[in-house]
Amino acid sequence: MKEKPQTPSGKPKSLPSISGTVDLKPGRQDTLEAALGRASQLLKTRKLADFKTEIAKAQKLGAHDPRTLHLLGLYEFETRNTVAAARLIKQALSLDPKNAAMQHNLAAVLISLGRFADAEVLLLSAIAQKPDYAEAFHTLAPIRKFKPGDPLIPQMEAGLKKPNLSAVDVSFYAFALAKALDDIGAYEKAWPALERGNAAMPTLFKPDREAEAVGEVEKLVTKERLQALAPYGHQSQAPVLVVGMPRSGTTLLESVLAEHPQIYGAGEMTSLGGIGRMMSNRLGISQSKIGFAQAIAQTEPKHVYAAGLGYLNSLRKETDSWFDHCIDKLPDNSFALGFAAAIVPNAKVIHIMRHPLDVMLSIYFQRFTTVQYGFDPKHILSHWNSYQRAMAHWRRTLPHEMIELRYENLVQDTTFAQTYLWDRLGLTQQIDHVPAATEIKQQRTASRYQVKQPVYQSSKEKFRRYETQMSAFIKGMGGMEAVEAEVAAQETRCALRQAAS
């Protein structure tokens, strides 16, 4: 019997939080308010099939109610239909124009579409109506270039001093304030705000578990095992896996590559991990770990093709347009490259590296809700070490060579990098006559503002501004000599440097 393709129920990595929607209260269950309350809760917990059932009830009771339209818009954003999301939330806001939560959520959608000026206007309006709207300050900070004397800075400072703030609001205010103070060069004041924001975030990361999973990968995912499985995987050459640490330049690299009309940039897809977990469950592996080493070791060839087809189907669902290559730039795929080599053995892998202290500082500056290790220097260092071990293992074991490059070399000459990488992918440089692979793309990562700006080099060695405050990071790396040795190793591996010499 033919194996069915495995298709995961993955979700996008970054979404605006659902602000100001209806809470379910005791009382009659057949009212619009009750239906909206249930739908809101289901959307917050991402139970999307149940949400559709509940929101249909709300539509029967109040199809043109702004709260119904708002929830429908958030659902569309959750399912990556961003243009539809913007239209629905805008319609809701036209019926309730002073709703600060709707203004915030429409702004978040517009940010993903690159409409930063429109988003800033909405967020400033939301803050004017609700001066203690901590989340709005946090959503605004990445798209606003703060200048000395900006009135929002003392507002955020005052907000942080309010008594009985929730940990969530502390983190919103503190991360936003740190970014603003960094913009104006007040680095000595930015660092304490940054530490307070990180301290307010929950600590869920288990460094020993991650290190153990990498150990299993090193032991079980051998070159021989991957070579044995490769003939049974899906032989498509469409996937391009862009990997690296978060904040290493994956978003910029994707944008440079996707200027070719035959390349579609799908962003941070979670489907590779979803398929790995499905395969693990099918094999009776109770706790699948990053890298899926046990699944690779135990699976049968007949399952490998189905897994590859499921992964390709998840990429195809991202666009109705035709493409030769599709980029999946989820950084944590760094740990799953062996699994990818088994199910789609002809996928290209591009690994982007960046100065380790710049990477760590940039992670520490982000309120990453999907990166559990990002709020404690010890945890960031532990993850860095696990990532380094994993990438060293893939250099030894992957059947096909990875393309490795440095962020610093990429920003130095993006045109050269683009030409080189298109050539490595076997794509023509003559593209004026080729129709584009897609019409519009959304950005949902922390780099979504930066990637829309002209390429700049001011982010190189940004850690120098905070070198004293980053002593724990430097010590954890083994001192500056060890840091410089890692940078030299990156330079040696950088394909752009080799191609230019």
Side-chain angles (χ1 to χ4, degrees):
M1 185 173 178
K2 201 169 190 178
E3 184 78 11
K4 292 182 180 179
Q6 300 173 17
T7 305
S9 56
K11 59 179 182 291
K13 288 288 289 179
S14 298
L15 292 167
S17 57
I18 300 170
S19 299
T21 50
V22 180
D23 292 323
L24 181 60
K25 297 180 176 66
R28 289 183 56 184
Q29 299 299 297
D30 59 349
T31 63
L32 174 61
E33 285 69 22
L36 289 170
R38 290 190 296 269
S40 175
Q41 203 58 37
L42 290 166
L43 190 57
K44 287 179 181 179
T45 55
R46 293 188 170 95
K47 296 178 180 177
L48 300 186
D50 293 335
F51 168 83
K52 290 177 72 174
T53 300
E54 210 57 53
I55 200 65
K57 297 176 184 176
Q59 286 178 285
K60 288 181 180 179
L61 295 165
H64 301 292
D65 188 286
R67 297 167 298 174
T68 304
L69 295 167
H70 182 213
L71 280 178
L72 284 168
L74 292 174
Y75 168 79
E76 293 293 346
F77 192 54
E78 174 75 28
T79 53
R80 301 172 75 89
N81 299 317
T82 315
V83 174
R87 175 178 54 79
L88 285 162
I89 301 175
K90 187 176 181 180
Q91 188 178 350
L93 194 56
S94 71
L95 298 171
D96 189 2
K98 293 188 176 182
N99 188 306
M102 291 182 189
Q103 290 178 325
H104 169 269
N105 290 341
L106 179 57
V109 174
L110 295 179
I111 288 170
S112 76
L113 292 171
R115 293 172 56 184
F116 305 116
D118 292 338
E120 185 170 359
V121 170
L122 284 165
L123 291 165
L124 290 172
S125 177
I127 289 169
Q129 293 179 69
K130 189 179 176 183
D132 61 348
Y133 200 168
E135 185 177 8
F137 284 103
H138 179 261
T139 304
L140 174 63
I143 65 169
R144 184 179 179 88
K145 182 65 176 176
F146 292 89
K147 297 177 180 178
D150 192 313
L152 294 182
I153 294 177
Q155 278 186 255
M156 289 185 282
E157 290 173 328
L160 264 178
K161 294 177 182 177
K162 290 181 179 178
N164 304 317
L165 274 182
S166 68
V168 171
D169 279 351
V170 167
S171 67
F172 281 141
Y173 274 128
F175 278 104
L177 179 60
K179 194 273 183 182
L181 293 171
D182 180 79
D183 277 356
I184 67 172
Y187 307 131
E188 294 292 334
K189 293 176 67 178
W191 192 261
L194 191 58
E195 288 185 314
R196 186 172 178 190
N198 279 286
M201 297 299 290
T203 304
L204 304 172
F205 181 60
K206 306 294 183 187
D208 292 343
R209 178 173 169 78
E210 183 175 80
E212 179 186 341
V214 174
E216 285 190 2
V217 167
E218 292 170 327
K219 180 180 178 181
L220 299 175
V221 187
T222 63
K223 190 169 190 174
E224 294 72 22
R225 179 58 175 163
L226 294 180
Q227 288 173 336
L229 290 174
Y232 301 97
H234 198 294
Q235 301 302 308
S236 170
Q237 298 183 32
V240 178
L241 296 169
V242 171
V243 300
M245 285 283 286
R247 309 298 293 165
S248 61
T250 56
T251 301
L252 174 62
L253 177 55
E254 180 195 38
S255 71
V256 169
L257 286 167
E259 286 185 8
H260 197 290
Q262 292 168 280
I263 298 178
Y264 175 68
E268 297 188 356
M269 298 290 294
T270 59
S271 48
L272 187 65
I275 291 171
R277 287 185 289 275
M278 288 174 64
M279 181 181 284
S280 299
N281 292 336
R282 176 172 291 180
L283 293 167
I285 300 168
S286 59
Q287 289 187 322
S288 62
K289 301 174 184 176
I290 58 167
F292 311 109
Q294 292 186 39
I296 295 170
Q298 297 178 34
T299 192
E300 298 177 33
K302 65 180 181 180
H303 298 313
V304 173
Y305 182 87
L309 182 57
Y311 178 59
L312 289 167
N313 284 342
S314 73
L315 299 179
R316 288 287 176 191
K317 286 179 180 178
E318 290 301 300
T319 177
D320 294 329
S321 301
W322 174 89
F323 56 76
D324 276 344
H325 292 288
C326 184
I327 299 171
D328 178 351
K329 71 170 198 72
L330 184 67
D332 278 352
N333 282 341
S334 302
F335 295 93
L337 293 181
F339 185 69
I343 68 172
V344 280
N346 292 319
K348 297 290 192 297
V349 177
I350 306 177
H351 174 216
I352 185 164
M353 306 166 287
R354 186 181 178 189
H355 195 295
L357 294 181
D358 277 340
V359 166
M360 293 178 194
L361 177 63
S362 191
I363 291 172
Y364 201 55
F365 255 92
Q366 304 302 317
R367 187 184 178 274
F368 277 131
T369 56
T370 55
V371 176
Q372 295 180 347
Y373 53 81
F375 313 117
D376 184 322
K378 295 191 296 294
H379 290 169
I380 296 173
L381 285 160
S382 176
H383 182 76
W384 167 267
N385 290 331
S386 293
Y387 150 78
Q388 288 284 79
R389 286 173 58 194
M391 296 312 300
H393 182 69
W394 303 135
R395 292 186 192 103
R396 296 189 298 267
T397 58
L398 288 184
H400 300 296
E401 181 186 6
M402 288 188 294
I403 302 171
E404 298 192 85
L405 54 91
R406 293 193 74 219
Y407 168 83
E408 290 80 0
N409 298 81
L410 173 65
V411 299
Q412 188 172 347
D413 190 342
T414 55
T415 302
F416 175 79
Q418 185 180 72
T419 301
Y420 171 80
L421 291 168
W422 286 355
D423 184 62
R424 288 291 298 267
L425 293 174
L427 294 170
T428 177
Q429 307 292 326
Q430 306 302 318
I431 63 174
D432 291 343
H433 66 290
V434 182
T438 185
E439 295 179 358
I440 194 162
K441 182 177 68 173
Q442 60 199 29
Q443 288 288 348
R444 295 180 179 231
T445 72
S447 307
R448 57 188 177 266
Y449 175 72
Q450 291 174 332
V451 77
K452 299 286 186 178
Q453 309 309 307
V455 175
Y456 61 97
Q457 300 190 45
S458 61
S459 58
K460 292 168 63 175
E461 294 204 346
K462 182 177 177 178
F463 79 89
R464 298 289 184 190
R465 306 172 187 172
Y466 297 97
E467 194 164 350
T468 300
Q469 294 91 336
M470 290 189 72
S471 59
F473 292 95
I474 296 169
K475 183 178 180 181
M477 285 284 294
M480 279 305 297
E481 188 174 335
V483 172
E484 290 164 2
E486 167 57 26
V487 172
Q490 290 181 4
E491 283 285 332
T492 300
R493 292 192 293 268
C494 180
L496 297 179
R497 182 179 177 87
Q498 294 167 14
S501 60

